Amino acid sequence: MQFDAVRVDGDAGRRIADALERMTGGDPGPIVAEASGRRGVYFLVAPRSTSHRSWPPGVTRFNAAAGRVSYVPVPALRGSTWPLSWRCPPTTADRFVHTLLLRTVAQEVLGAGPGG
């Protein structure tokens, strides 16, 4: 499975995930939460959907843009993979977090940033 990912650390990432869950009736697409370290929240989005958009400060993009390979931690679908867990598990192979909705919510939580 291929995807891009957007990481937002700490409480801001959790607030974004909360908002997306509310806006989508509890099915925002796959979201991974990290329980230690930077406490990152990873939003899995469609491949090639992050590199050509501006994002607010506080967002880290993971994609396979030209000359770049990214690695994203993904928990197992079943069983304990602490410190990683599925906040919202994947439902189908083609279901992702909606990139533009994520970007809009991130701008609201983090600020507009450059080009916003």
Side-chain angles (χ1 to χ4, degrees):
M1 174 183 221
Q2 292 185 356
F3 55 84
D4 282 7
V6 169
R7 185 186 76 216
V8 180
D9 295 333
D11 291 336
R14 281 150 178 75
R15 285 195 309 271
I16 293 168
D18 288 343
L20 289 173
E21 286 184 76
R22 279 191 309 274
M23 296 169 82
T24 61
D27 184 20
I31 300 174
V32 174
E34 192 174 33
S36 65
R38 65 179 79 234
R39 295 180 53 237
V41 178
Y42 295 82
F43 303 88
L44 307 188
V45 296
R48 297 170 300 283
S49 67
T50 63
S51 61
H52 59 282
R53 291 186 168 89
S54 64
W55 293 84
V59 166
T60 303
R61 294 177 290 173
F62 296 88
N63 55 49
R68 177 179 178 175
V69 175
S70 297
Y71 296 93
V72 176
V74 175
L77 288 174
R78 292 177 186 78
S80 177
T81 52
W82 191 91
L84 299 173
S85 64
W86 287 106
R87 172 155 178 159
C88 298
T91 53
T92 63
D94 61 347
R95 175 78 169 116
F96 297 103
V97 173
H98 191 281
T99 307
L100 293 178
L101 183 60
L102 171 59
R103 183 176 173 269
T104 299
V105 173
Q107 287 174 324
E108 291 175 8
V109 171
L110 299 169

